[in-house]
Structure formats: structure tokens, C-alpha cells
Amino acid sequence: MFGMNRVRGLLWGKREIEERIAEEVRFHVEMRTRDNVAAGMSADEARYDAERRFGNRTLVKEEARDMDLLRWLEVLGQDLRYSARMLRKSPGFTTVAVLSLALGIGANTAIFSLIDAVMLKMLPVKNPQQLFALAHAGSKDTQTGGNYPLYERYRDHNDVFTGFTAAIPDEFKISTANGVELALGQFATGNYHSLLGVPAILGRTLNHQDDRIRGGHPVAVISEGYWNRRYGRNPGVLGRSITLDGAPFTIIGVTAGEFYGLQPGLSMDITIPMAMKPALGDTHFLGAHDGWTSLEIIGRLRPGVSEQQAGAAIDVLYQQYMSESENAWITGQVRQDHWRKAVLLPVSNGLAELRKKFSRPLLALMCMVGVVLLIACANVANLLLARATARRREIAVRLAVGAGRWRLIRQLLTESLLLGVLGGALGLLFAFWGSRFLLSFLSNGRTPLVLSVEPDFRLLLFTASLSVLIAVLFGLAPAVRATRLDLTPALKENSRGKGSGRDRWAAGKLLVVSQIGLSLLLVAGAGLFVRSLQNLKNQDAGFHGKNVLLFTLDTRGAAFPKARLQSFYENLLTRLRTMPGVRSASYSMMSPLGTMAQIRALVVQGFVSRAEGDQSAWANVISPGYFETLGITLVRGRDIGPRDIAGAPKVAVINETMARHFYGRTDPIGRRLDIGNRAAGAQIEIVGVVRDAKQTNLRLEVPRMIYTPYLQSERLPGSLTAEVLTSGDPVALAAAAQAEVRSLSRDVVIDYVRTMSQQVDASLVQERLLAALSSFFGGLALLLACVGLYGTMAYGVARRSHEIGIRMALGAERRGVLWMVLRETLILAVIGVCVGVPAAIGLSRLVASFLFGLTATDPLVLAGSAILLIAIAVLAGYLPARRASRVDPMVALRYE
């Protein structure tokens, strides 16, 4: 009858709609009246019968309005205004509910923002889903990286890709008016930007001509971020010269700001042609057929070609290339483990280095914050149940005067939705702060991470969806329960509504038990991660990490002949050792727990190889005093000393692991070996054995190590790390140490100044992230569970005030009443713990791989978590119990 009003509502205003509805109602009543008069009724009888048969005019008008879109929006606006007034009338309830939701939503949004930046965001390039990295795989792992001749083979002999590009990251030393600085950049083939579809916002990008002649086109393209930092967005930057590693380059363009490179987290500020690599010192890179490098080879899949077809075609080229390779160490089992076949890896989200490092910890944290959100939802649901009980009579009156049950449920859900929106808005603010903190936490290594965690459409959509979802989750059950009433007792003014109270009490206890059980999961997880971190830091790593200052010296690109470079190193070491407060100083190519590792093949006199790869070791170049500075104990023989210089007999010191591997129980002192695959024989004499020390990771076993004097290297290293052992705080000497470097040469870059303790922390960034955030989320879960338990027990005390008054009037002592309430609290806590402990044991395998030195079912952690939860539960229940014990019997007996 009124169906067309919904369409008309889109065309006419509210007043016109009201007039048309009233006119249609009058028309129908008049037509019925005429029919009654024609049937013989009097005018009054006909009118009365027509009105009676038509029904309630107001109700019919309401139903007609409900079918109209504008009316629906008007009702929604009324519901929102009414909900806002009701929430404003209960500021305590609103504050607790909104804060609970904001903490849960904020934590989830902060972690999601990092997951989105690290794992989900597509590269800002043209059709990123068509891009694939060419990798090699075996039975043990899959890795990217190749060499330039392999790239040329793919580029020149394929018909399944539209093209290939290659890039390799590097760190450039840039000469400025104020000295020198380092910038992260890359060498790339001439089609790099065009194949990826990266535009220039100023000037142009690289092209084939720039990469055609080796050393012939010293041009550079810079990123928008570097253009902004270094040149203040000056458009006159085009044509300017920039000196990289001592060689002049001309800036020809600036790339768009949203493109940082193929590796999420790293910003490639400067890109230069691959053909310029020989000009900057690496003369063998482009022709190294048998050397494997970290060159990333990227292809764009031809339309209509499947990934499987392309992978098969590429593997044919790879097998042909490997059959021509003369890599003696990529044979047998080693090839089966790592280099057996070529595979394609999608790079629409970027290369996977950052994902490998942080994806599992971030997913673990996402599960934790999901549990926190469930606890927050249970908390708010508990509050809504109590609020619905308090509004029981109001709801009964509204039902009695004709309000529909669905209409009331919708009204109550609107209040929940408003709470969810307010919690989401505040949570987004918390997430903004939290994500920045997390990013700074992850960026404590040598190279800061460059990730965009600013709120965008995806983040806003995630937060909005989460807010609406949890609004329905925590609001629906209380709304349904609140409208399921027996009207007769509910309308009695003095009724306590025992039935509803019992239902609310039982539901509240169930929610509290679930909160305690979920909290136990988080607290136990936090305990495991914290203890694992302590085990890693407290283990004997073979070196001491206190009072040691580290900084890296980079001499690349400086006009340093070998004699002058040697003089610089020796003079600086002498000055560092004579500084006040310095006990010892040294150099090394690889400091413990640094990121660099160099594995070298060995020729060991008298050793018979038993398996693939067992005739190799990690090689480190050091100066005299290295072992003393880092506290690495000399086991036998002698240390590397001042007489171990160029022209002197070559010597080496090995660690215990290497001594056991190659010499067993035989004394290695005086035995000979050589580094590399040279057949000239063993030229290096072993003069000492030192204690094992951890190298790149505290979790891994100590590798075989060989230490050789830096002055006996075939070519003096262009980059070394200085270690300075101090008698006090090493940070206090950092400025003075850097001043000594600058006094000797202003062409040397001082990079990555840190203490050994900071280097240890940087190597444990995943473990520290898990320990810190799980502890925070566990504490947050405890707080929310306490609020829920306190609210439930306080409601129970208020509900039982009459009973408590009778007990006390009959002689019950305050201690007995106090224990009665605390006993209920303890029962809830113990039930929650009994639910949580089996769940924690069942889920233990999910965190086992993150642990060190303990099992996921560690009884000490589980017992400690259970005791902590029970203790905090007793604390939360004490205040309601204390209030119950102080009830005035006379007041309680009059309570209705």
C-alpha cells in the first residue's frame, strides 16, 4: 500500500512525505466509510467501523515512514543522539568502555600497520604482480642473488619475459663541503626504471645508453627523499656534480617519493648505472662468471605466459649456465642443498629480506593483540550486561507501551556502535604513536628502516571494520538479553529482579573466567619470551660486551696509497690506545655479532675432506690487541703481535672449534694452511688457539674461525671496525675518539658508532621486540581482566546487599563476609587458570621456535603466571569484599 513511498522519499522532502502519507490514510478511511454508508450504516457507525478496521493511524504512519530511506536515516540520527545522551549521563561507564576498546583496537592497528608496511603493501610500480625475482633453490633453502653473466644469459635468451633488470645495493661515500658522508644506493642496469615503471618527477631516469659503455656514463638518479634532505628540493639540482667514492657523477633526475627501491625498509637514495661498477673499484664484477654475488635479477612476465611456463623456461637457461660454471664449491651435495634449480619468486610486495626477519614475530604479536582485543570485548560486554540490568525497568516500560523488541535491540546496538567508533577513533591515535615507537624499535641497527606507517585508506578501513565488528561482537548478546524480559515483575517499582540478576551474574562470571584464561595465555607467553631473552644475553658468548666502544672507519674513495693508509691505521691505533680512560684498542674486519661474515675455502695441510663444505672457515682480519680488547681468552700458543706485518712470515690464530675440526686432539700450533683454493701449498702458520666466541648470532653454534693480521692482507682493507676497551662509560669517549680520526684525515667516514652492548641488543632485535611487547600486552590483559573481575564482584556485592545485611544481623563477622566474597573471587580465578593452563600447553608449539634455553611448557613460567594471576585477582576482588564487610545491617535490610 505504501511501498512507493520508499522511492518517493528520495524525491520529496520530509514535509511532503508526511502530507502524502496523511492524505493516503484519509483516502483509505474515507473509502471504507462510503462503502459502509452504501451498505446501510449511519454516518457515525460507518466512520467508527472504518477507523476500527483501518487500525492505529499513528502506527500505520510509523510503518510507512520506516519503509522510507530518509526516514531510516532520520531514525538512525535519533538513535545516535539518544545514545550519545545516555553515554554522557554515565561518564564512568563510557570512559572505561572506550578506553578498553581503544587499547585493544590501538594495539591491533599498530601491529597491523607494520604488517601492512612489511608484508602486504604492493610496490609503487607499474603492474607489480607481473614482477618476479629469479632465485635458486635446493633441498634446504631458496635464495635470491646471482651474478652479472647469469643476468646476461637470462636477458639475451628468453621469450617468456618482456625484459629483465638487475640491481645490487651499495653504500656510497659522498664528498661534501663539510667533509664526507655515507648514503645508501645501488648499481642498476639501464632499463631499471623503465622496466619497473618508475617515473621521474624531475629530469629523467636511467636508460640503455647510460649502461652501454663500461665507465663511460657517470650519471646518477637520486630519490625524492634525498633530494629533499640534501638539496632542499632545489630544481637546479639537475646537472650538478656529486662525488661518489671519489669519482664525480652528474645528477640527471629525481624519482617519485613513494618508490624507495625493491627492498621494503631500505631507501635507495642514489642509483647509478651498472656499467660504472668497474670505475668505482670492482673491476671483476661484470665478468665474474664463477663468482656468486647478491645481484638481484628481476623479470617482468610476458602477458599470457603462466608462472609455471616461465619457471620451466628459466630453469633450462639456469642449468645450461651452471653446467658451464667452474665453481668448485658448488658441486655435489652443496649444489643439491642450495643450487639445484632456478625458481621464480613474486616480488609484487618487494624482496623478502625484511619479511624473513620480522614476519613471524609480527604475526605472533598480531595473535597476542587479537587476544587482548577479545579480553577488551569481554570487559565491555560485562559492563553492558550490568548497564542493561540497571536499565531493566526502563526497557520494560518501553516494551509495555508498544516498542518492538527489534527496535530496542537496534537502539542498544547503536550505543555499542557509538562506543566502538569512539574506541576506534582513540585507538587510531594510540596506533599512530605505537607504530612510530615500533618502527624506531626495529630501526636500532646500522641502517634505519624506511617504512611508511602513516594512516592511509587501508589502515582507516582496517580500523573502521574492526570497530564495527567488535561493536556487534560485544553488543549483540547484552542487547538481546536486555530485551528478553518478563514484563510483570520488571514493571514493579521495588522489584530487585532476581531472575535477571542471576542471569547477569552467571554471564558476568563466565566472561571473567574467559578473561582470566586468555590473560594467562599472554602472561605465560610474555614470561617465555622474557626468559628466552635473558638466557640469550646471560649465556657465555666468549667475549665481554661491557665498556667496549665500536665505530666503523670507511676509507673508500679517499686518495690513500697503501703506505699512507697503513700509516693512518697505525697512527690512529696508537692515539686511541693513549687516550685517557682507554685500556686497549684494536681493529677487525668483523666484530662479534656484526652483520658481515666472510666464509673462505681453506687448504689445510694433512687434512682429508670427509664431506662437502667441511674444508672452509669464517675468516676475520684483525690487528694486535683484538683478543685483549674483546676479552677473548688465548688457550694456547701466542697472540697476533706487532711483528706480524707485511713481509714477515704469515701467521694465523684459530678458534677451538676449528682446531677440533681439522686437528682433533693433535696440537695445531706450528701446523700450516692457506686461505683459498690455491694449489701453491700451505703458507700460513698457526701460532695460537683462542676460545670460541659467538659471531653473527647468539642462537647459532660457534663457527670455525681463522684470524689473520690485517697488515699481512694482500690489500689493506678499505673499511675496518675499531674496538676500544674503556675503564668507564664508553659513550663518554665516543666524541674524543672521533676527533682523533678527524685530526688525522677528514676523508675517512666514521660510521655506525655504538657500544658492544648496543650491538648485542641490535642482534637480538626480534627477541627484544617479542619480550617487550608481549610483556606490555600481558600487563594490559591483566589490567583489563582486573577491571572485569572488579566490576563483576562489585555487582555481585550490590545484588546481595540484602542477604549480607541479614547475615550480619544474625551475627556474621566482618572477616567471614570478607572471606565469603574473596572465596568467590578465588574460585573464578582458579577456574580461569585451570582453563588457561591447558590452552597454553596446547598452543606451546606455536612459540617453541622463538625460545632459547627453555621449553614452551616450562613449569616455572606456567606456575609463575598462574600465581601472578591469582594474586592480582585477589587484589581486584578485595575492594568489593571490603565494601561488603562494611555494610550497615540496618541499611541493607531496608534495601530493595
Side-chain angles (χ1 to χ4, degrees), residues 209-228:
Q209 292 300 317
D210 299 322
D211 195 39
R212 187 169 54 88
I213 302 174
R214 296 187 179 186
H217 292 85
V219 295
V221 176
I222 62 176
S223 68
E224 184 179 7
Y226 189 73
W227 178 43
N228 184 47

Side-chain angles (χ1 to χ4, degrees), residues 72 104 205 232 308 529 540 574 594 596 682 878 895:
W72 184 84
T205 57
Q308 292 73 21
F529 292 141
D540 185 2
T574 300
M596 183 176 65
Y878 175 74
Y895 173 75

Side-chain angles (χ1 to χ4, degrees), residues 16 455 715 826 854:
E16 270 192 79
R715 185 175 62 179
L826 272 172
L854 74 164

Side-chain angles (χ1 to χ4, degrees), residues 347-600:
V347 290
S348 57
N349 305 110
L351 295 171
E353 195 62 36
L354 196 66
R355 290 197 294 276
K356 284 182 183 177
K357 189 174 183 181
F358 291 116
S359 60
R360 290 178 63 249
L362 287 177
L363 289 176
L365 290 172
M366 195 69 194
C367 293
M368 289 184 180
V369 294
V371 174
V372 171
L373 186 58
L374 286 177
I375 295 172
C377 289
N379 213 22
V380 177
N382 217 340
L383 292 171
L384 287 174
L385 283 172
R387 181 175 170 80
T389 302
R391 296 173 62 183
R392 186 166 175 268
R393 191 167 184 277
E394 170 207 336
I395 294 171
V397 170
R398 295 175 70 179
L399 287 170
V401 298
R405 188 171 175 227
W406 165 244
R407 181 69 183 83
L408 286 179
I409 291 176
R410 190 173 68 181
Q411 171 64 60
L412 295 174
L413 277 177
T414 303
E415 290 186 24
S416 301
L417 181 63
L418 190 57
L419 285 174
V421 170
L422 292 174
L426 185 58
L428 194 62
L429 182 61
F430 289 163
F432 178 72
W433 295 333
S435 57
R436 286 178 172 270
F437 167 75
L438 290 175
L439 187 58
S440 65
F441 194 99
L442 298 180
S443 299
N444 63 352
R446 179 172 185 172
T447 305
L449 295 181
V450 181
L451 293 172
S452 176
V453 292
E454 302 294 329
D456 57 10
F457 174 75
R458 293 158 62 91
L459 197 63
L460 293 175
L461 180 62
F462 173 82
T463 306
S465 302
L466 191 62
S467 301
V468 172
L469 178 64
I470 64 174
V472 175
L473 182 66
F474 69 70
L476 185 59
V480 172
R481 181 180 291 272
T483 56
R484 189 183 296 156
L485 291 175
D486 186 353
L487 296 183
T488 302
L491 289 171
K492 293 180 180 179
E493 187 170 353
N494 292 328
S495 172
R496 293 191 300 271
K498 292 183 180 179
S500 176
R502 281 194 296 269
D503 291 344
R504 144 75 182 123
W505 177 236
K509 289 194 290 186
L510 181 62
L511 288 171
V512 166
V513 167
S514 65
Q515 284 180 296
I516 293 174
L518 291 172
S519 297
L520 182 72
L521 290 177
L522 295 183
V523 173
L528 290 172
F529 292 141
V530 169
R531 282 202 61 200
S532 183
L533 178 63
Q534 290 174 341
N535 290 342
L536 281 165
K537 297 185 75 169
N538 294 337
Q539 70 172 313
D540 185 2
F543 61 89
H544 57 67
K546 293 183 178 179
N547 300 334
V548 177
L549 176 70
L550 305 174
F551 56 91
T552 301
L553 302 170
D554 193 333
T555 65
R556 293 175 304 162
F560 273 136
K562 183 176 181 180
R564 186 184 168 197
L565 182 59
Q566 179 177 335
S567 174
F568 167 78
Y569 281 143
E570 291 179 333
N571 289 338
L572 177 60
L573 198 56
T574 300
R575 292 194 180 194
L576 291 175
R577 288 170 174 168
T578 56
M579 286 174 57
V582 172
R583 295 163 54 189
S584 177
S586 63
Y587 296 133
S588 69
M589 180 75 77
M590 179 177 66
S591 59
L593 304 184
T595 57
M596 183 176 65
Q598 189 177 36
I599 302 176
R600 302 291 300 274

Side-chain angles (χ1 to χ4, degrees), residues 193 198-205 221-228 233-235 237-238 252-259:
H193 297 105
V198 177
I201 59 173
L202 189 69
R204 68 173 179 86
T205 57
V221 176
I222 62 176
S223 68
E224 184 179 7
Y226 189 73
W227 178 43
N228 184 47
R233 304 186 71 85
N234 181 3
V237 71
L238 296 182
I252 60 171
V254 180
T255 55
E258 63 271 13
F259 179 73

Side-chain angles (χ1 to χ4, degrees), residues 136-159:
H136 51 87
S139 58
K140 288 190 175 180
D141 59 13
T142 299
Q143 298 178 355
T144 58
N147 57 39
Y148 194 77
L150 178 60
Y151 157 74
E152 292 179 312
R153 176 69 61 92
Y154 288 148
R155 180 194 64 191
D156 299 336
H157 299 86
N158 99 93
D159 56 0

